[in-house]
Amino acid sequence: MAVGAVDESLKIWDDSNYGEGVTLVAPGAKIVRADTSQSNGYAEADGTSDATAYVSATAALIRAKYPDLTAGQVINRLIKSAYLPDDVTKAPDEEYGYGVIRPYASLTRDIPKGPKQGPLAQPSPSTSTNSGTASEDNDSTTQAKKKKKSSSGNILIIAGIAAAVVVIGILFAVLRNRRNGGNGGPGSGGGTPPHGTGYPPQPPTGYQPYPNTPPNQGYPTNQGYPPPPAQSPQHPNPYAQQPPSEDR
């Protein structure tokens, strides 16, 4: 419950709460309360907190006298015993709610218990028609979820099969490459040609003969390589030098 405050004339306090949520109002202006900052231990103050204390105290008194009442039935006694000024024609009012709290009347008046939920309980929106509609909505929602789940499962299965096919293809290509080229097999270009084929041995790619190498060393001379440059006297060919004689 939301509680507002009234002054000593039962008029709404200037700083009270307003709105549709206000349920009851209680004294909240010039209230004497405990204050340890004062020499006598008391002070006068205003506020809806003081009004709330009056309402909760009255609820405690009702529960003490009628322990079999539910919380909703206690609220029913608070509301049915409240006082509304003559100029308030409709309850709940945005300022007064259902009226000003009256503790004595709430304890002594002959007020029926009322429903366990109390007078403020919201009516259940579900009816037979609404229940059927809600059931149909739940069924359609469940079927939609099942379809979505099934579709998601099919997508996952297809994706798994595609991934397996890709992996198998990669493994097959690697194995075939190893069989054909990894051990000098056909097509690798790195094996040794068989003996007796009648072809002269070919130089490796990028081969260039050393300078001053005599022709006919097993490699053809007409490979399109330019003739070796003449050796400069300052830089003799290190491969053409003779080793020193033993008597030197």
Side-chain angles (χ1 to χ4, degrees):
M1 295 188 303
V3 177
V6 294
D7 58 19
E8 60 271 24
S9 301
L10 300 183
K11 299 297 183 182
I12 296 297
W13 177 53
D14 293 339
D15 294 330
S16 179
N17 301 318
Y18 298 93
E20 296 179 358
V22 175
T23 306
L24 293 167
V25 293
K30 297 181 180 179
I31 303 298
V32 177
R33 59 184 179 180
D35 188 348
T36 57
S37 64
Q38 303 296 323
S39 58
N40 60 355
Y42 295 93
E44 188 179 87
D46 305 329
T48 53
S49 297
D50 300 280
T52 303
Y54 279 107
V55 175
S56 60
T58 305
L61 291 174
I62 296 174
R63 179 61 69 95
K65 186 175 181 179
Y66 306 100
D68 59 328
L69 297 183
T70 65
Q73 291 169 342
V74 170
I75 294 175
N76 179 62
R77 273 194 164 270
L78 291 171
I79 290 176
K80 297 296 177 60
S81 60
Y83 164 76
L84 271 176
D86 294 338
D87 56 346
V88 179
T89 59
K90 182 181 178 181
D93 182 70
E94 289 190 356
E95 293 181 341
Y96 283 91
Y98 289 93
V100 184
I101 193 75
R102 292 200 291 181
Y104 184 76
S106 66
L107 294 171
T108 57
R109 282 194 174 184
D110 185 13
I111 300 174
K113 291 182 178 181
K116 293 182 178 181
Q117 295 81 6
L120 302 182
Q122 297 295 327
S124 176
S126 61
T127 60
S128 58
T129 304
N130 291 339
S131 298
T133 304
S135 177
E136 292 176 0
D137 292 342
N138 291 336
D139 292 341
S140 61
T141 303
T142 303
Q143 292 177 2
K145 288 182 178 179
K146 288 182 178 179
K147 290 181 180 179
K148 184 176 181 181
K149 185 176 181 181
S150 176
S151 176
S152 300
N154 293 336
I155 293 174
L156 292 176
I157 293 174
I158 294 173
I161 294 174
V165 171
V166 171
V167 171
I168 293 173
I170 293 175
L171 292 176
F172 179 77
V174 171
L175 292 175
R176 184 177 63 179
N177 184 40
R178 288 183 177 178
R179 289 178 179 179
N180 295 338
N183 297 322
S188 65
T192 304
H195 297 287
T197 58
Y199 294 98
Q202 299 296 325
T205 303
Y207 169 82
Q208 293 185 2
Y210 290 109
N212 297 335
T213 303
N216 300 327
Q217 295 297 323
Y219 298 102
T221 57
N222 56 347
Q223 297 297 324
Y225 296 102
Q231 295 296 324
S232 173
Q234 290 83 0
H235 301 283
N237 183 5
Y239 297 98
Q241 295 180 1
Q242 297 298 325
S245 59
E246 294 181 0
D247 56 353
R248 291 184 181 180

